[in-house]
Amino acid sequence: MDLNADLGEGFGSWRLGDDEALLALISSANVACGFHAGDAATMHRVCAAAAERGVAVGAQVGYRDLAGFGRRHIAYDFAELRDETIYQLGALDAFCRVYRTRVRYLKPHGALYHAAACDEAQAAALVAAISGYDHELPVLCQPGSVLAQLAVGAGLRVVTEGFADRNYLPNGTLVPRSAPNAMVTDPDQVAARAVRMAVERTVVAVDGTVVPCPVESICLHGDTPGAVRCAELVRAALIDAGVTLTPFA
């Protein structure tokens, strides 16, 4: 099982989360590419630290929305979203190459992640960007999403992920962040959910329904309070359950 987290989400002198501590605990890093968060210096720093620790770097591409942290929906033109995705991929890949590595996968961020799960036009723009930039690049996304379906149709590798620190609806989608119960904040509960995803391939929804969750990667949000403690408990719980942590890419 892969364990991923969102990193590099600071900007300028503003730091969000503890990237260095999380890099010691995860196997894949979803690095912000400067549109919803991050900047050149932050990307450089995180890529250097990830290369040193053998952590796979993925491009966490988002809407051009620093003020909204990429969590506000934007109605993009197909070509504009495709081109801005390629732009973000190339920027992060340049810093990876400085350290003799490369971007190993793509994951949408925030509102773009949710849009691509159900909006065929936005999902198609992401697929076109990946296909044009590097057809061997996997896409990390929700199982059963429109993005997953279009990516498979285009011959791309799809890696499905679950969220140990997010609550689920009975239909297998995430509880919207606007809802008060969107996040799971108890670190012990987060760890237990991660083990269930890895071992039983299921998750318990907010109404108690047991929902199939066939995933290859488990995500933790690096910007939430207590993220490092959660990651420590999740990693330990997975290893105790006999789960080997390794990058999927």
Side-chain angles (χ1 to χ4, degrees), residues 6-11 29-44 46-47 57-66 69-70 83-96 103-109 112 126 133 137:
D6 303 339
L7 302 185
E9 294 184 317
F11 184 79
N30 317 315
V31 181
C33 302
F35 273 34
H36 75 276
D39 57 20
T42 303
M43 285 190 279
H44 194 160
V46 175
C47 287
V57 169
Q60 188 174 40
V61 300
Y63 291 142
R64 187 188 289 270
D65 181 28
L66 280 174
F69 198 60
D83 295 346
E84 291 199 349
T85 300
I86 294 172
Y87 185 100
Q88 293 175 76
L89 274 169
L92 186 65
D93 205 26
F95 289 112
C96 286
V103 167
R104 299 196 179 276
Y105 62 94
L106 177 144
K107 176 183 173 178
H109 166 81
L112 178 56
L126 294 179
Y133 186 82
L137 208 61

Side-chain angles (χ1 to χ4, degrees), residues 3-7 9 16-19 22 26 30 60 69 71 107-110 113-114 161-168 174-175 177 182-184 190 218-231 234:
L3 183 62
N4 77 75
D6 303 339
L7 302 185
E9 294 184 317
L16 181 64
D18 190 338
D19 293 337
L22 285 169
I26 61 175
N30 317 315
Q60 188 174 40
F69 198 60
R71 288 185 174 153
K107 176 183 173 178
H109 166 81
Y113 187 97
H114 294 290
E161 70 170 341
F163 294 83
D165 57 5
R166 290 288 306 274
N167 269 318
Y168 280 77
L174 298 173
V175 173
R177 276 190 175 268
M183 303 299 297
V184 180
V190 173
I218 295 172
C219 178
L220 298 173
H221 287 88
D223 63 322
T224 55
V228 173
R229 179 57 179 158
C230 266
V234 167

Side-chain angles (χ1 to χ4, degrees), residues 1-241:
M1 179 63 68
D2 175 63
L3 183 62
N4 77 75
D6 303 339
L7 302 185
E9 294 184 317
F11 184 79
S13 61
W14 178 60
R15 292 288 184 95
L16 181 64
D18 190 338
D19 293 337
E20 283 70 23
L22 285 169
L23 280 168
L25 300 167
I26 61 175
S27 48
S28 296
N30 317 315
V31 181
C33 302
F35 273 34
H36 75 276
D39 57 20
T42 303
M43 285 190 279
H44 194 160
R45 172 176 54 81
V46 175
C47 287
E52 182 181 354
R53 291 167 175 78
V55 175
V57 169
Q60 188 174 40
V61 300
Y63 291 142
R64 187 188 289 270
D65 181 28
L66 280 174
F69 198 60
R71 288 185 174 153
R72 303 180 293 190
H73 181 267
I74 297 176
Y76 263 88
D77 171 77
F78 171 89
E80 185 178 12
L81 181 56
R82 178 200 61 204
D83 295 346
E84 291 199 349
T85 300
I86 294 172
Y87 185 100
Q88 293 175 76
L89 274 169
L92 186 65
D93 205 26
F95 289 112
C96 286
R97 289 175 182 274
V98 171
Y99 296 96
R100 304 297 187 269
T101 184
R102 60 184 177 84
V103 167
R104 299 196 179 276
Y105 62 94
L106 177 144
K107 176 183 173 178
H109 166 81
L112 178 56
Y113 187 97
H114 294 290
C118 58
D119 184 317
E120 187 169 341
Q122 294 211 2
L126 294 179
V127 169
I130 300 168
S131 298
Y133 186 82
D134 182 355
H135 197 267
E136 299 302 313
L137 208 61
V139 56
L140 182 61
C141 60
Q142 240 179 317
S145 62
V146 171
L147 176 56
Q149 294 168 25
L150 293 184
V152 168
L156 300 176
R157 179 187 173 194
V158 170
V159 178
T160 53
E161 70 170 341
F163 294 83
D165 57 5
R166 290 288 306 274
N167 269 318
Y168 280 77
L169 295 171
N171 65 0
T173 63
L174 298 173
V175 173
R177 276 190 175 268
S178 57
N181 61 341
M183 303 299 297
V184 180
T185 56
D186 180 354
D188 290 315
Q189 189 179 358
V190 173
R193 289 166 69 85
V195 170
R196 183 170 190 139
M197 285 180 182
V199 176
E200 299 181 22
R201 298 294 201 259
T202 62
V203 65
V204 178
V206 287
D207 68 345
T209 304
V210 177
V211 180
C213 192
V215 299
E216 298 176 62
S217 183
I218 295 172
C219 178
L220 298 173
H221 287 88
D223 63 322
T224 55
V228 173
R229 179 57 179 158
C230 266
E232 289 172 342
L233 290 179
V234 167
R235 181 183 178 89
L238 288 171
I239 292 172
D240 285 349

